[in-house]
Amino acid sequence: MSLRYPHIFAQDRLDRGNVILDGNRFLLANGHIGYRGTVEEYGREEMVGLIIAGVYDQYQDSWRENLALPNPFLFRAYKEGKEISIRTEEPLSHQVKLDFDRGVYTRRSSLSKLIISSSRIVSHDDDSLLFTRIEVEAKEEGEYELVYGIDTDINEIHGPHFAKQIIENAANRLCFKGKTNEGKILFVSAEYRGFAGIYQKEDGFFHAKLELKPHQKLSLEIIARVDEDALGEIPNDRYSVLAKASIQAFARKWGRCKVIIEGDAELDYELAYSMYHALILGDEKRIRSIAARGLSGQTYKGAIFWDTEIFLLPFYVLANPKIARNLLLYRINTLPGALAKAKSLGYEGAYYAWESQDSGLEACRADNVTDPVTGETVVTYFGTKQIHISADVVYAFDRYIEATGDMSVLKEGGDKVIFEVAKFFLSYSTVDDQGIYHINDVIGPDEYHERVNDEAFTLALARRVMRILGKYVDPKSLSQEDQEIYNRCVEAEFASPQTRNGVIAEFDGYFDLEDIDVASLKKRVKNPQDYWGGKHGIATHTQVIKQADVVSLMALCPEDFDRESMERNYDYYLSRTEHGSSLSASMHCLLGAKLGKEKEAYQFLRNSSGIDIRGAEKLYAGGVYIGGTHPAANAGAYLGLVYGFLGLKEIEGRVTFDVHLPRRIHSVKLRYCVGKEVYEVTCDQRGVVKKKEVRV
Ligand code: BGC
């Protein structure tokens, strides 16, 4: 593998061991649909995937998950009945590239009898379209058979999701129509231009038999589209025309958020790659949110976690506020689900789903983790006890409004979200004899310690929710009964977590647990896939935590802490944090940069920005496949640079900087949005040296 500068991610040889990982690394997407980075001849086993955002389905009583659709780009070549493919032979050369400035995937494989090349785009211009141009060049004379069409033998983790499906053929077109178990209708239609193959009903593919001479080249263009409910029109334009429109549209997206780092080419490259993976997930047109593994597959049921509000939303506030707004509107639309969840657990107000899908009902299940050896369920309480999710949603509303000055989200239902979440925290709390509110039996961001009391992150965020309620919601707009609840909310005094030598205990009793560092604890690992938390996890009875928790709190709410407290806590938790979640590094970068810990913060930034290039993240946790891209870490890397090293702050629609660049970075040029305007700021070691408004 080689890292090319500028902005091409390339692989110069076939890496059979990493086909699944490369499907993520070479992903194309446009916020609505994603297409995994796999070659044309691959199929279900290699996890080819066309993923659509926001559509979910449940098969029998297995996990409800997002949909994978049939693959319109299947293409296989045969000679004398033998497949000529990287599946069946070692290629003489093989190259795959992702041009992430332009959103174009290309491959070229030189095989024994053919060269197969292709170029592919998921359109940023019309987000229901994806198209490819495949070229074959014969190496020897003879008859070749080319087979192509829509492959319905797809990879689904908890499928099959199509209860009924048909493929229809008309001339050089195919149309898949499927009805999911939940009754949704989806179409994948495609036009195949070039080889004049004959459609064969028996296998559902086009077959073209062609006499080719050495060096003779032929090409096939496939223009495909994905539709929900009603079938749309395939455009007559050629691949080159559609490609141009997509590249221009993608350039406009980049034009609002481009970052150019001088003096550190590796960071520049990695950050652009990370930003690519975050940027391809935002949907400007629809009120939808972003799944924890984006559009790279069905991991985590395609569900939306706190990842979106805490990591992706601040990125989109600067990169495209309209998308940030849509992320919030999604939470407004799913408020009924949050109200229902709270009610079902005996609470009042809104308890957002830990794993949220289209309706906002809880998709997280108690059987989320499996013991990799015995196959037994490791019971976890993420869905019922990770209540900070509701506060994270409210935090995001505040952050968005502070940055953009756009109060209209409150009128659209944001005020209701804030009130209902505040009400939920009130109802979840227990009040002691002194009238202090305690939040017991929860899970903080550190998921290894379950069902703990007075968890620092949760308490502080609950306190903040009440502040935000007071800031934005006018009690006079509420009914008499709600006004009483409102008053109790804004007056509630929450417990302060225990402290020792200035270190905040993550939860009540934390300091009584075995004090061991991560490296020593690792020696107790029996199976690399073991889950460290839960009842029997190796970290459960120790102070080792999964991910930034108190550190996240300080990174997100620095104004609530003094420098000394931040330093003590950062230092204490550093050796005790496993970074078992990809979310952890960027929070450490943010706080480290604020504290002037340049070297460490820089390393955390690289850990976050290099996450999907390195591809070293766990593919399994407690026996469950968790592979895919890492959008929150991708956006987190951006946050580390922009909010950490550039010290960007947003207050009432104004942006300020407090630049402390690591020495190796000469300058950073950053484009960002404030409302509809786009600015370009240049910062170097001295601070901001230039700022101008730009037209995109
Ligand atoms: C992390 C959570 C995160 C989820 C989805 C888990 O491993 O602990 O904080 O929300 O993954 O990314």
Side-chain angles (χ1 to χ4, degrees):
M1 180 188 308
S2 68
L3 302 183
R4 297 271 168 75
Y5 183 80
H7 306 154
I8 305 266
F9 180 56
Q11 229 168 42
D12 294 319
R13 60 174 190 84
L14 180 59
D15 184 0
R16 290 195 196 277
N18 278 324
V19 172
I20 306 292
L21 204 61
D22 287 338
N24 304 322
R25 292 197 277 209
F26 289 94
L27 177 77
L28 296 172
N30 60 17
H32 179 47
I33 49 176
Y35 191 91
R36 290 174 51 79
T38 47
V39 301
E40 288 69 20
E41 53 267 45
Y42 280 169
R44 181 164 49 83
E45 297 218 327
E46 294 90 359
M47 229 191 241
V48 172
L50 169 58
I51 308 293
I52 178 163
V55 186
Y56 299 85
D57 182 68
Q58 185 167 23
Y59 171 64
Q60 293 176 353
D61 63 350
S62 61
W63 294 5
R64 189 172 188 261
E65 65 188 2
N66 57 326
L67 272 198
L69 301 172
N71 169 27
F73 291 162
L74 182 98
F75 169 83
R76 285 181 189 154
Y78 299 84
K79 190 160 193 283
E80 287 142 21
K82 231 181 110 215
E83 184 178 337
I84 311 157
S85 149
I86 65 167
R87 299 195 321 153
T88 50
E89 59 180 89
E90 265 323 301
L92 301 166
S93 71
H94 176 75
Q95 193 176 55
V96 186
K97 286 186 195 169
L98 173 70
D99 176 338
F100 48 96
D101 282 334
R102 300 189 310 147
V104 184
Y105 166 99
T106 48
R107 67 82 65 109
R108 185 179 188 281
S109 310
S110 176
L111 299 152
S112 55
K113 297 178 171 60
L114 273 181
I115 297 172
I116 305 179
S117 351
S118 72
S119 142
R120 175 194 305 157
I121 285 177
V122 170
S123 179
H124 290 273
D125 178 49
D126 175 344
D127 66 12
S128 51
L129 293 183
L130 62 161
F131 31 88
T132 182
R133 186 172 190 281
I134 302 168
E135 191 178 86
V136 288
E137 178 180 341
K139 285 189 171 175
E140 54 181 54
E141 192 163 337
E143 191 189 67
Y144 291 79
E145 183 176 11
L146 307 173
V147 179
Y148 51 94
I150 299 181
D151 187 8
T152 52
D153 183 19
I154 52 176
N155 182 286
E156 294 175 293
I157 303 184
H158 298 285
H161 289 295
F162 288 105
K164 279 193 191 146
Q165 59 182 66
I166 46 162
I167 290 219
E168 281 171 351
N169 160 245
N172 61 346
R173 288 192 181 189
L174 292 178
C175 178
F176 164 91
K177 183 179 176 188
K179 188 174 185 186
T180 66
N181 301 303
E182 294 185 9
K184 293 220 171 68
I185 307 286
L186 275 301
F187 297 91
V188 177
S189 56
E191 189 166 292
Y192 297 83
R193 304 170 185 160
F195 293 158
I198 310 284
Y199 180 68
Q200 285 188 9
K201 230 178 164 181
E202 306 77 63
D203 63 6
F205 293 112
F206 288 110
H207 291 247
K209 289 196 173 153
L210 302 163
E211 268 308 320
L212 297 179
K213 300 217 159 38
H215 306 301
Q216 191 176 347
K217 287 184 191 168
L218 283 179
S219 68
L220 171 72
E221 290 195 357
I222 309 174
I223 316 296
R225 62 176 294 141
V226 170
D227 292 293
E228 274 173 81
D229 304 326
L231 184 62
E233 271 294 301
I234 292 175
N236 288 325
D237 299 316
R238 300 202 50 165
Y239 175 88
S240 57
V241 175
L242 296 170
K244 198 170 162 202
S246 173
I247 290 166
Q248 279 172 355
F250 198 39
R252 282 195 293 278
K253 293 185 186 176
W254 271 119
R256 297 193 197 105
C257 63
K258 192 111 196 154
V259 178
I260 299 172
I261 300 168
E262 299 284 358
D264 190 344
E266 276 183 14
L267 178 63
D268 177 85
Y269 174 87
E270 277 186 9
L271 191 77
Y273 181 78
S274 275
M275 286 174 68
Y276 165 82
H277 277 289
L279 199 59
I280 59 174
L281 302 176
D283 190 336
E284 237 188 75
K285 288 203 314 223
R286 300 172 192 80
I287 298 176
R288 269 191 191 154
S289 195
I290 298 174
R293 289 287 180 267
L295 288 163
S296 63
Q298 292 166 310
T299 292
Y300 288 147
K301 316 176 188 98
I304 290 107
F305 293 64
W306 73 314
D307 306 33
T308 310
E309 277 69 29
I310 299 298
F311 298 82
L312 285 147
L313 183 126
F315 164 72
Y316 272 112
V317 163
L318 291 171
N320 189 336
K322 190 151 191 278
I323 293 174
R325 195 170 192 279
N326 281 347
L327 299 176
L328 294 176
L329 296 183
Y330 163 81
R331 291 300 190 178
I332 294 174
N333 286 355
T334 51
L335 181 62
L339 293 170
K341 176 178 168 186
K343 198 166 175 199
S344 73
L345 294 169
Y347 301 106
E348 288 170 17
Y351 182 3
Y352 276 92
W354 177 244
E355 299 184 12
S356 183
Q357 298 178 332
D358 44 355
S359 68
L361 292 174
E362 185 57 78
C364 184
R365 304 188 7 164
D367 61 354
N368 251 17
V369 178
T370 312
D371 185 302
V373 179
T374 63
E376 279 166 23
T377 295
V378 178
V379 175
T380 57
Y381 295 87
F382 306 150
T384 49
K385 304 291 175 192
Q386 209 159 160
I387 67 168
H388 69 86
I389 176 67
S390 275
D392 305 329
V393 170
V394 169
Y395 172 90
F397 271 94
D398 185 34
R399 188 131 185 191
Y400 170 82
I401 296 170
E402 274 294 341
T404 60
D406 172 16
M407 307 278 274
S408 69
V409 283
L410 293 172
K411 282 211 194 75
E412 296 216 23
D415 53 357
K416 195 142 203 294
V417 167
I418 296 170
F419 176 74
E420 293 298 341
V421 167
K423 192 167 156 187
F424 166 69
F425 276 101
L426 200 69
S427 105
Y428 200 94
S429 306
T430 21
V431 189
D432 69 15
D433 299 345
Q434 273 83 46
I436 303 294
Y437 284 67
H438 295 268
I439 303 186
N440 294 336
D441 196 8
V442 297
I443 304 176
D446 158 30
E447 291 177 340
Y448 287 164
H449 298 91
E450 301 195 31
R451 311 197 69 166
V452 294
N453 295 342
D454 281 342
E455 203 274 334
F457 184 94
T458 312
L459 275 176
L461 269 272
R463 198 175 292 128
R464 192 166 264 254
V465 165
M466 304 311 180
R467 253 196 268 158
I468 296 170
L469 175 71
K471 185 168 161 189
Y472 295 124
V473 179
D474 178 4
K476 290 201 278 306
S477 67
L478 303 171
S479 67
Q480 186 67 33
E481 193 190 332
D482 284 351
Q483 277 186 29
E484 274 161 33
I485 295 170
Y486 177 97
N487 290 338
R488 280 171 50 217
C489 284
V490 292
E491 282 160 18
E493 202 182 314
F494 284 93
S496 300
Q498 297 171 335
T499 55
R500 198 166 77 185
N501 302 328
V503 178
I504 298 175
E506 190 185 286
F507 49 83
D508 210 7
Y510 172 78
F511 292 128
D512 302 334
L513 300 178
E514 181 188 349
D515 194 7
I516 183 172
D517 59 53
V518 177
S520 312
L521 185 64
K522 247 192 193 138
K523 295 191 187 125
R524 297 183 193 165
V525 170
K526 291 201 189 82
N527 182 324
Q529 279 190 33
D530 271 346
Y531 182 61
W532 285 28
K535 203 166 171 200
H536 304 295
I538 56 166
T540 305
H541 303 288
T542 76
Q543 289 188 30
V544 168
I545 62 173
K546 181 177 178 186
Q547 66 202 79
D549 193 297
V550 174
V551 165
S552 291
L553 169 61
M554 294 183 161
L556 295 171
C557 310
E559 61 284 2
D560 292 349
F561 301 94
D562 61 36
R563 191 184 169 92
E564 196 190 327
S565 166
M566 293 201 258
E567 247 160 23
R568 281 183 188 231
N569 282 280
Y570 175 92
D571 290 342
Y572 189 85
Y573 282 107
L574 196 59
S575 61
R576 293 164 179 84
T577 308
E578 189 221 345
H579 303 296
S581 160
S582 61
L583 273 48
S584 196
S586 63
M587 286 294 145
H588 280 78
C589 171
L590 276 169
L591 190 60
K594 204 164 291 297
L595 296 173
K597 295 182 184 285
E598 183 194 306
K599 256 188 157 166
E600 276 169 19
Y602 179 81
Q603 196 44 56
F604 280 122
L605 174 59
R606 294 297 298 273
N607 290 354
S608 214
S609 64
I611 193 152
D612 285 326
I613 285 180
R614 275 194 314 274
E617 287 305 290
K618 293 186 235 178
L619 281 182
Y620 289 88
V624 175
Y625 173 71
I626 56 165
T629 56
H630 297 80
N634 294 140
Y638 171 90
L639 304 187
L641 179 80
V642 173
Y643 291 93
F645 288 117
L646 299 183
L648 187 145
K649 271 206 187 95
E650 298 136 327
I651 308 163
E652 293 171 4
R654 271 184 322 110
V655 167
T656 60
F657 291 87
D658 179 17
V659 181
H660 294 281
L661 284 180
R663 253 149 299 188
R664 68 177 85 201
I665 299 179
H666 299 157
S667 70
V668 176
K669 200 178 266 180
L670 165 80
R671 293 244 181 126
Y672 63 94
C673 305
V674 179
K676 290 200 170 70
E677 276 97 60
V678 182
Y679 293 92
E680 185 178 284
V681 74
T682 309
C683 307
D684 67 14
Q685 294 288 342
R686 292 164 295 169
V688 174
V689 289
K690 210 159 128 196
K691 186 176 164 186
K692 61 176 184 187
E693 197 178 329
V694 289
R695 287 178 72 85
V696 178

